[in-house]
Amino acid sequence: MTLTRLILNFVQRHRSAYASAALMLFGIALLTVWLPRQIGHMVDGLVTHQLVGAALWRELGLLLGAGVLIYLLRVGWRLKLFAAAYRMGVELRESLYARLSLQGPRFFQTRRTGDLMALATNDVDAVEMASGEAMLAGFDGSLTLLLVVGTMAFGVDWRLALVALLPFPFMAVAFWWISRQVHDRSKEALERFGDLNDHVQETISGVRTLRALGLEDRSSQRFAELAGAAADAGFQAQRWEARYEPAVGIALAVAMGASLGLGGWLVWHDELTVGQLTSFGLYLGQLIWPMFAAGWVLSLWERGRAAWGRLSQVLDEPLAIDNDGTVAHVTPGEISLRNISFAYPGSTQPALDDLSITLPAGGTLGVVGPTGAGKSTLVRLLLRQWQPAQGQIEWGGVPLADHTLQALRSAMAWVPQEPIMFSATVGENIALAKPGASQAEIEAVARLAAVHDDIQRLPQGYATPVGERGVTLSGGQRQRVAIARALLTDAPLLLLDDALSAVDTETEHRILSHLREQRVGRTVIVISHRLSALADADRIAVLRQGRLTELGTHDELLARGTDHSWYAHEWRVQQLKASLDAD
Ligand code: ADP
């Protein structure tokens, strides 16, 4: 969609606001055209001594009344129009947010957070200006131009009007050239601002790491470079915008000189009165606004177009995961993966290679294997953050892709290794997926996740703020809060992706045995590096380099012996380590 179409759509939906603003502008334009005529008429009356006494006061009163009315109408249109333009900003931000929340990891892997934030602020502002100021200045300017030129030609003298308009085609060419430059420079300025924003966002999120590595100076230097580049690009755009003014000035000066020359000649030959020439001069002065308006409109429009180009790229980017499924409820049942293969974009190595596993409803599957074996990828495919390139995943006999994303996401509770705490209280962080959960429910799941005692020891218990503006929880506490959060949803499938890596062995055991007691009949997939945590799982899958190399119960895998089983070997190593640690 082009910017013109976007704005036309919007104007159509808010036509009453735009129509009343346009009506008020029309009133202003009429009054503005009437004023010089009235002044010219008064000058002629004063020169011939006909305008005296009460008549003079009445005429002056009319002038004053018109001035006040113009003022009121100007306030009125601004109120109408800018309210509509702000609405446009809100709508754009809403659609941008909605789109971003539908996008998958592939999108966020290739886009920079700071730049996306810049789109929601700077770029939306630029489009908002194009739908507000630019639209109305354009309307007001063209209306005034038509009325003024019409009155100059038909109300005063068409020969004078013709001569006065001669320089304007040259000005139009200059405008065209300048606006092309403004477009390119504005785009550059928006991009540089995006870079700057990105650096700030990254620096603030990673401030601890930067300090720990002593990189503050280098980061400040980089900031100064980016800020300089952003300022430079903004300055270049402004420089080009500033060139509209001299173009208007030159055109008007030439018009004024030519019309005064011809006007003088006409007065000399009694074809024009001095009053008419005065009116004409005033009309010419009134052309300043439409000319400046044209320059202003063009620069706002070009800025808006540059911003819309960037915004629409993000809004139109296809979703990485198609959301065409129609099944709105998951029927929990067997989960089966058949011949799944998947590679991340840009990677030649498959992250999963011809993987087939079935998991009966209510079963517990442990997934183990060396780092980079594809364990998390398996979970991401189940969550439909990514789609397999080949193979089929079914849940309860229905292909995963046939469900709506909403249905799938509410049927799965996922706990990643590094869960996010939001700026809210611990209690609210647990109740995230079930707003309105009672305190008793929250405490019950916190007990299951073995984090209740830790929370009680926090300064304000469950009401302690955490996240960016609150206390910092330890990695293990965050993981357990996230498990409590997942348990509260009571989803039929729980995915723990190395979700207890920062918790000690004993607590991990305790939490997993709580899960087994509480989640009877519901499926759990647990990824863990600690094999002892998974010994009770119904089945254990060993992944290596994206392939399923072993599948069985703990005892079955151990029985294969350390020479033939990665699991048996790793189990032995971990047992030895544990006994050494105990000594
Ligand atoms: P595991 O969870 O077993 O440690 P992963 O499933 O995270 O392994 O990763 C499997 C392989 O895919 C690894 O080689 C990893 O480098 C690669 N990989 C993981 N995530 C991405 C990603 N977002 N983009 C590209 N490659 C990835």
Side-chain angles (χ1 to χ4, degrees):
M1 190 165 26
T2 60
L3 181 63
T4 319
R5 162 99 26 112
L6 173 85
I7 291 183
L8 284 181
N9 271 347
F10 183 79
V11 171
Q12 205 188 359
R13 278 187 289 121
H14 296 266
R15 48 185 172 272
S16 69
Y18 277 91
S20 51
L23 213 63
M24 287 191 252
L25 281 165
F26 189 64
I28 295 170
L30 283 182
L31 284 167
T32 320
V33 171
W34 173 79
L35 275 178
R37 207 182 163 78
Q38 171 71 358
I39 294 172
H41 170 69
M42 285 170 71
V43 168
D44 279 344
L46 288 171
V47 169
T48 54
H49 302 289
Q50 280 168 349
L51 189 60
V52 285
L56 177 61
W57 286 113
R58 208 191 64 228
E59 301 281 300
L60 282 175
L62 269 178
L63 273 190
L64 186 70
V68 172
L69 194 57
I70 289 179
Y71 171 78
L72 291 177
L73 289 173
R74 280 198 193 284
V75 172
W77 77 250
R78 280 180 165 80
L79 283 178
K80 279 282 171 207
L81 180 74
F82 294 146
Y86 283 133
R87 185 73 235 142
M88 166 83 138
V90 171
E91 282 185 15
L92 270 181
R93 287 193 175 99
E94 279 171 0
S95 48
L96 185 64
Y97 187 81
R99 193 71 189 172
L100 291 183
S101 61
L102 281 178
Q103 283 292 5
R106 180 207 299 264
F107 174 86
F108 292 101
Q109 211 165 309
T110 51
R111 298 273 173 179
R112 298 165 313 152
T113 315
D115 196 34
L116 291 175
M117 284 158 67
L119 281 181
T121 51
N122 251 18
D123 294 71
V124 169
D125 280 347
V127 175
E128 193 178 297
M129 298 273 277
S131 77
E133 272 98 330
M135 286 284 294
L136 265 285
F139 178 78
D140 188 28
S142 336
L143 198 65
T144 316
L145 181 75
L146 280 178
L147 286 172
V148 171
V149 171
T151 323
M152 271 165 42
F154 302 109
V156 188
D157 191 286
W158 67 268
R159 290 163 298 179
L160 266 187
L162 208 62
V163 167
L165 289 179
L166 277 181
F168 290 103
F170 296 100
M171 192 191 79
V173 174
F175 270 24
W176 171 78
W177 171 247
I178 297 170
S179 53
R180 271 182 35 171
Q181 301 296 329
V182 169
H183 177 269
D184 295 351
R185 303 288 174 273
S186 304
K187 190 161 163 235
E188 175 83 15
L190 289 166
E191 277 165 7
R192 294 295 77 80
F193 182 80
D195 293 345
L196 177 65
N197 224 23
D198 203 54
H199 180 75
V200 172
Q201 185 267 336
E202 218 169 71
T203 310
I204 294 177
S205 339
V207 70
R208 290 200 192 104
T209 314
L210 284 175
R211 279 208 198 114
L213 295 173
L215 293 176
E216 296 103 314
D217 283 350
R218 208 190 296 170
S219 174
S220 305
Q221 202 183 336
R222 179 88 188 115
F223 176 81
E225 281 165 23
L226 289 172
D232 252 12
F235 180 61
Q236 288 301 331
Q238 294 273 358
R239 266 173 71 131
W240 275 99
E241 280 177 354
R243 293 180 190 174
Y244 285 118
E245 259 180 56
V248 171
I250 293 169
L252 274 176
V254 174
M256 190 66 93
S259 55
L260 269 183
L262 179 64
W265 190 86
L266 288 173
V267 171
W268 187 254
H269 290 89
D270 281 337
E271 289 186 35
L272 202 69
T273 67
V274 177
Q276 278 176 318
L277 188 58
T278 311
S279 296
F280 192 86
L282 288 172
Y283 281 129
L284 213 50
Q286 279 190 357
L287 282 186
I288 294 180
W289 158 238
M291 295 304 130
F292 278 144
W296 193 38
V297 168
L298 281 176
S299 68
L300 288 178
W301 190 257
E302 292 305 333
R303 276 175 183 263
R305 238 164 44 85
W308 177 243
R310 278 162 44 83
L311 272 167
S312 54
Q313 230 181 39
V314 169
L315 289 172
D316 296 342
E317 179 142 338
L319 296 179
I321 301 295
D322 40 76
N323 191 11
D324 310 329
T326 49
V327 182
H329 291 284
V330 170
T331 320
E334 184 184 79
I335 296 175
S336 87
L337 292 94
R338 279 200 304 274
N339 309 103
I340 296 296
S341 292
F342 172 77
Y344 286 99
S347 164
T348 46
Q349 279 293 99
L352 288 179
D353 191 2
D354 201 21
L355 183 93
S356 300
I357 303 183
T358 51
L359 183 63
T364 303
L365 174 71
V367 184
V368 296
T371 308
K375 304 181 294 292
S376 300
T377 306
L378 175 66
V379 168
R380 290 182 200 131
L381 292 188
L382 284 170
L383 285 164
R384 287 205 79 216
Q385 289 180 356
W386 297 91
Q387 296 187 130
Q390 276 166 32
Q392 173 91 308
I393 306 180
E394 286 179 1
W395 191 1
V398 182
L400 223 51
D402 287 0
H403 296 90
T404 63
L405 281 178
Q406 182 61 28
L408 280 181
R409 290 187 181 155
S410 55
M412 295 183 191
W414 169 54
V415 188
Q417 190 180 0
E418 283 174 15
I420 304 281
M421 292 293 118
F422 293 94
S423 295
T425 67
V426 192
E428 286 163 348
N429 261 291
I430 294 178
L432 206 63
K434 192 179 173 187
S438 70
Q439 184 62 22
E441 283 178 281
I442 294 175
E443 287 187 21
V445 287
R447 283 202 174 88
L448 288 179
V451 71
H452 174 74
D453 294 342
D454 291 58
I455 296 178
Q456 295 256 285
R457 280 195 293 273
L458 292 175
Q460 292 152 264
Y462 279 86
T464 310
V466 291
E468 277 191 6
R469 271 169 283 134
V471 301
T472 311
L473 297 178
S474 75
Q477 286 170 333
R478 273 207 304 275
Q479 289 189 335
R480 282 174 288 150
V481 167
I483 288 190
R485 183 192 280 168
L487 291 179
L488 195 57
T489 63
D490 207 20
L493 174 61
L494 176 63
L495 300 160
L496 302 181
D497 187 353
D498 220 357
L500 290 165
S501 56
V503 174
D504 61 78
T505 316
E506 202 181 313
T507 315
E508 178 172 21
H509 272 288
R510 197 145 54 105
I511 296 170
L512 290 175
S513 68
H514 284 165
L515 287 185
R516 264 190 298 279
E517 288 158 22
Q518 290 294 317
R519 290 185 48 88
V520 179
R522 274 154 293 180
T523 314
V524 188
I525 298 181
V526 190
I527 295 177
S528 178
H529 281 101
R530 244 181 248 141
L531 302 192
S532 60
L534 303 176
D536 294 333
D538 299 324
R539 292 174 113 186
I540 297 167
V542 179
L543 293 190
R544 292 174 75 190
Q545 295 179 340
R547 289 184 151 268
L548 178 69
T549 53
E550 297 168 50
L551 183 66
T553 62
H554 170 73
D555 292 335
E556 285 166 6
L557 296 182
L558 277 194
R560 297 167 125 222
T562 50
D563 287 344
H564 298 102
S565 160
W566 179 89
Y567 184 87
H569 177 78
E570 186 67 17
W571 173 264
R572 180 117 176 250
V573 171
Q574 291 193 5
Q575 290 297 307
L576 273 174
K577 263 196 200 144
S579 61
L580 285 177
D581 286 348
D583 294 344

